[in-house]
Amino acid sequence: MTQHRVRVALGERAYDILVGGGLLDRAGEHIAPLLRRSFAVIVTDENVAARHLEPLKRALAQQGIGSEAIILPPGEAQKSYAGFEHLCEALLALKVERRDHLIALGGGVIGDLVGFAASVLRRGMDFIQVPTSLLAQVDSSVGGKTAINSRQGKNLIGAFHQPRLVLADVDLLRTLPPRELRAGYAEVVKYGLLGDAEFYAWLEANGTKLLSGDAALLAEAVARCCAHKARIVAADEREEGERALLNLGHTFGHALEAETGYSQRLLHGEGVAVGMALAFRLSGTLGLCDADLAPRVERHLAETGLPARLADVDGAQAFSAERLLDHMRQDKKVRDGKLVFILAEAIGRAVQRDDVPVEAVQGLLSEQLDRRAA
Ligand code: NAD
Ligand code: ZN
């Protein structure tokens, strides 16, 4: 299989993202040139450790790199003060030195937590991302956003801290639960919808096969998403402009995640899927794009097994437009009665708007919630 290399051009913080199959088994070769001593600490979670930790340790050992592993329980709860404290103390107990590298082997939870720990431990250590979920391969492992959660909300305590290398081995996705794979696929669709109509059409043609586990298609999709994100991050590392477009579908999505308690009822990517469909509905209603685009988006999401409408969300009977709007207001995306939204002028052309009337959003939510009864 072709191996793809994507460069994130950030001057002295520039790094490579390698995408392909068989990368884990050759991790030592890719990592060895970065290290200052032949030692690294791998941080992972129990689910991932059971399947992929030994192969990684073996691959490092083949290059004479010694390693220790810290294995955490899986789940978002690790991105907390308690989880952060536990990890830092465990790392310090292993006597990590400032010039050592940490390796984050896992999904976005591990990547965000390890990245944040690396940003502050011994005033800043290097780290390497080995993302194991599709969401982490196409989104969270690239771009240097790291964070833990506060009681006030998700990802509120964090830092920009770029990894030194990202190894995205699509073979690792074989052990990912299918629902997690689909949820990550929503973020793949996002790149097409926000900025690449040709890629979106490619996904319409290949998405189902990709989700069945076709490694070559997965690698191509991951590489294209990473190239897209790398370009945006290089242009706007700190999200002062274009990087905000990556939040397409996320304002609605976050409201739905909050309403469902950040639980298994709705995975992040599933919320993003519904959110993107709603963003296209809203764009159509506001006359920003053709009204027939939203049904096209909904069709593709539905055929790949993702939720596309409010009614598809577990517990939608109990939702109210007002409560969902309240969540959006909490997101601080409201200014003078207007909401800030990523909307679409076409497939592949997203725009940030800060003038979306609350009534238009309310109308759309009420309409979809009314239809749920029918
Ligand atoms: P996750 O890390 O919780 O992984 C999902 C589940 O899949 C977990 O149970 C995990 O143990 C399991 N898993 C992961 N890889 C596996 C594999 N190969 N085989 C078997 N099981 C595997 O969740 P996620 O969806 O990867 O990431 C979500 C997190 O990412 C959220 O905390 C979110 O805030 C964060 N995020 C960060 C950014 C960013 O830019 N930093 C962007 C998007 C999302
Ligand atoms: Zn997301």
Side-chain angles (χ1 to χ4, degrees), residues 46 102 106 118 129 144 150 155 169 183 229 241-242 299 325 374:
E46 288 159 5
L102 307 181
Q129 291 270 21
S150 146
N155 297 327
D169 185 340
K229 185 159 184 184
E242 190 188 0
R299 200 177 323 121
L325 269 168

Side-chain angles (χ1 to χ4, degrees), residues 19-31:
V19 182
L23 280 167
L24 194 74
D25 292 335
R26 310 188 61 176
E29 289 165 44
H30 297 298
I31 290 174

Side-chain angles (χ1 to χ4, degrees), residues 49-181:
R51 296 156 174 101
H52 306 298
L53 178 58
E54 280 315 312
L56 176 57
K57 288 187 72 99
R58 220 179 303 129
L60 294 174
Q62 273 165 13
Q63 298 296 315
I65 303 167
S67 61
E68 293 278 358
I70 296 173
I71 303 173
L72 305 173
E76 185 73 23
Q78 290 306 308
K79 280 178 56 176
S80 58
Y81 292 113
F84 174 70
E85 177 180 9
H86 171 81
L87 174 59
C88 289
E89 294 300 330
L91 286 165
L92 292 169
L94 289 174
K95 304 204 164 32
V96 290
E97 297 172 10
R98 186 173 191 181
R99 288 155 59 85
D100 286 339
H101 283 65
L102 307 181
I103 301 177
L105 173 70
V109 165
I110 290 292
D112 278 14
L113 176 64
V114 175
F116 184 51
S119 79
V120 287
L121 214 63
R122 296 202 181 277
R123 298 203 174 81
M125 297 180 60
D126 285 330
F127 81 118
I128 293 163
Q129 291 270 21
V130 185
T132 63
S133 69
L134 183 56
L135 180 138
Q137 295 194 349
V138 299
D139 195 357
S140 61
S141 68
V142 174
K145 278 194 188 176
T146 74
I148 59 171
N149 303 325
S150 146
R151 276 180 283 280
Q152 306 295 321
K154 276 191 66 171
N155 297 327
L156 293 180
I157 303 143
F160 284 97
H161 189 53
Q162 301 291 343
R164 307 297 301 184
L165 174 70
V166 181
L167 292 180
D169 185 340
V170 294
D171 290 343
L172 307 188
L173 302 177
R174 283 199 203 125
T175 60
L176 189 67
R179 186 180 171 196
E180 295 284 352
L181 187 71

